[in-house]
Amino acid sequence: MINKEQMQKNLKENILMLRKFKGINSEVAREARLECLNSLGVDTSTFERSSLSSEAVSSNIESFIGTYNIPTGVVGPIALKHEGGTVENIFTLVGTTEGALVASMNRGSAILRASGGFQAIVQKQRMLRAPIFQFENLYEANYFSTWIQEKIEELRVYLKKYSKHSNLIEIKTNLMGKNVDSKFYYTTGDASGQNMTTICTWHACLWIEKEFFKSANFKIKDFVLEGNGASDKKISYASIQGGRGVDVVAECFLSHEILEKKLKVSAKDLLKWFNISYQLTTFDGMLGNNVNVANAIAAMFVTAGQDLACLVESSVGFLQLEPHEKGIYFSLKLPKLVIGTVGGGTGLPQAKAVLQMMDCYGPGKVERFAKLIAGFALGLEISTISAMVSGQFAIAHERLGRNKPVDYLDIKKLDTSFFQNNKIIQKNEKITFIENLTECNGIVMELSSKNTPKAIGFSHWEIFSEGKKENAILKNKATSRETLNCMYLMTGMIDPKLAKYFMMYQESSEFIGCHSRELALCEFFKKNKTVSVPRVYGTYLNEDSETYFILMQYLNTSEMKVMNSENDVHLWDDGLITKAITQVTKLHKDLNEFDIEKFETSKSKETLFEFSEYSIEILRDQYEKRYPGLEDLFNKSLNYLKNNSNKENTLFKVCIHNDFNPRNIAYSNDEKFYFYDWELATSGLPHRDILELYLFCLHSPNLKMSFDEISELHRKLWSDKDILPAQWREGYKEVLSDFIVSRLVFYLLGHQLRHYSFLDQLVRNVINFNQKERIL
């Protein structure tokens, strides 16, 4: 640590060093600057490596030390519809640190593709400088205003010697007392033109000063190159109306079907709130009327080598919505888009690559670039305003832009001493991190990991003990609140109203306490040396860092006969399912010593019923024809649960797995079962685990046992309960109804966001099972 006295001494020396390299961009100069900053206690390690050489940026920056990384994402393709009717699909890259932006731009691009594309027209391209000329009195100023209009053509020809690409097209003057406020308008080809118009206007002022003296009997008293009238990197009505940058307009049409099915909003609601918003922007004096075009433009400016300071004026936008009997007409006007496809930062390697990706690099491309910016911005406008009206806006930002201030534990930095001190491994053992295992993540864990910077999921470790090596897996869990939040956001992405129903249901859902429940069960398994689960080395819980993990046996697929078999159940035959039922029943009995009740939530089912009913309603169009009988079966299940939810249970309940299917069961080469992922464990009829496994495996060509045989096998394993076959079978009404309403519905919803290969066959199995067995 550098003390203040030393830092002050270093500061004086460094100022002298920096002066030595002032105006020099070289590697020697860059290293000297980095050394100066280091001596002042500044950590420059993230800047020391640069993909750009000092010489490559000599015309872009001074006092160069390195480059700054900005997260970059891909957006598109967006569909540009040309005048002849052909449609071109185009990708771009955008830079941002704002979560949800890229997702929303991609949604907007997808909507434009679905609607047939957007069209765009460039009306004009201009750049201006605004010198002020000072005179002795008003009459002299007025004489000058007339004189300069007569000299425009002569001046235009003269300025060609200073720029091949700029063309003086107009000079406007305005008397401000004895001063003449002038505006020199140019076209500047494919460059934004700020530098070339500065140079041209400077030489124009010198020429004017000289030529005016020849034709008048008085001199220009003084002039300044820029009197701030150009609104350079600022917003003004004058620059909007007179022109500064590219003036571009984009349009598209969205049908009622696209609005309602893809954007989850009606034309009526969208127009209502847009018109109310327009009134408020007018009342507030807002310059322009748009939702957030600056987001799209800034993100594209970053990656395409544009002048970032011009964002403030380039983001003036006018969004327009017009009702149509078949939907809504949208247009977006960007009147002062200050952009270029040559010069400035466009020649830097990454900017050049992005522009080339869009076929927007070099001469003759600026109009195309303007159209694409307008199109991507229009897509974002449509996505954002629809999300706001439908209620998805806050949901998306909570899901994609979460930034919770928690000091999360870095799993990869854990060492042997950490595991030993927390009694997870023995003192004579060592442990080493190998890799993260993203392919092992289950549905709940995968969804949760997308909503937090915390390292949720599985990782592979090696434990060394007395010359032996054991493979272990560390499961770092999401909290139940993170899981519920993720489920809420997932439902919101499907339908905002569905998210409201889930919010009402979540406090009584099976996800409450899922993280602490599994850790407690694993400690129980460790203490009792339970044989039908992976070996548990230990668990760790830290509320402050929200760390809840389990270190357990790594199940190597090469050592398993059956594992992760939900998509291929052909190995599940009569013998295997009999062994599984027998083993899990034994475990159910052992778990009588585990107090699952303390992890239970309210048993009220009313909010679940409302959530599930609405889920089926919004899924009806997708599944009604594909799965005949599904909705009828759902209604029967719902009615059964409603009619029996308050009745006293005549059977008995145990701690069940509650997610007992081939996704969570392994069977080893040495004929040993491993049941894992206990986060949804709950108190319920033992029938629940048996039925779920059977429903997943029902279509196996090697499973010949009838359901009556399965049920009777299971009943006899509980012979101590002395329950008659008919009464035992009655329990399957409850668990089948519960499986359909509380689990199958969630699978169908999750399938909207992630493809579940097993789902199609599972739904058919459930329908076929009930039709044959007449359970409901």
Side-chain angles (χ1 to χ4, degrees), residues 56 117-118 171 198 213 229 245 251 453 461-462 470 592 664 725 732 775:
F118 76 95
I171 299 176
T198 298
F213 180 67
E251 68 172 4
W461 297 71
E462 287 181 347
E470 294 181 4
N592 278 330
N664 299 320
Y732 284 104
I775 300 294

Side-chain angles (χ1 to χ4, degrees), residues 429-564:
E429 294 177 329
K430 294 184 178 180
I431 188 167
T432 304
F433 171 82
I434 304 300
E435 62 179 340
N436 287 317
L437 300 170
T438 54
E439 71 277 5
C440 294
N441 291 343
I443 295 169
V444 173
M445 189 170 286
E446 180 183 330
L447 290 170
S448 302
S449 66
K450 294 179 179 179
N451 188 43
T452 175
K454 184 167 68 176
I456 293 172
F458 292 91
S459 53
H460 180 194
W461 297 71
E462 287 181 347
I463 300 174
F464 299 90
S465 176
E466 298 178 353
K468 295 181 180 180
K469 181 181 76 173
E470 294 181 4
N471 288 300
I473 194 167
L474 189 145
K475 182 179 184 180
N476 196 29
K477 296 184 59 60
T479 65
S480 60
R481 187 53 52 194
E482 287 168 333
T483 301
L484 287 166
N485 185 46
C486 180
M487 301 296 289
Y488 163 69
L489 299 171
M490 179 194 80
T491 55
M493 292 297 103
I494 297 169
D495 186 286
K497 189 176 179 181
L498 182 66
K500 295 177 183 178
Y501 279 113
F502 183 79
M503 183 179 287
M504 292 185 289
Y505 158 63
Q506 62 182 358
E507 294 304 323
S508 59
S509 76
E510 59 194 0
F511 301 104
I512 287 288
C514 61
H515 61 290
S516 54
R517 181 190 308 139
E518 186 170 23
L519 261 67
L521 272 163
C522 285
E523 283 295 326
F524 176 87
F525 295 147
K526 179 183 178 181
K527 178 182 177 182
N528 291 276
K529 298 180 180 180
T530 305
V531 296
S532 53
V533 298
R535 174 190 170 188
V536 177
Y537 293 96
T539 64
Y540 178 77
L541 185 155
N542 186 303
E543 299 284 355
D544 292 336
S545 62
E546 295 189 2
T547 305
Y548 307 87
F549 72 64
I550 305 159
L551 186 69
M552 55 188 168
Q553 176 184 356
Y554 182 94
L555 300 180
N556 194 319
T557 54
S558 65
E559 298 172 356
M560 301 293 144
K561 285 184 179 180
V562 179
M563 187 174 179
N564 298 328

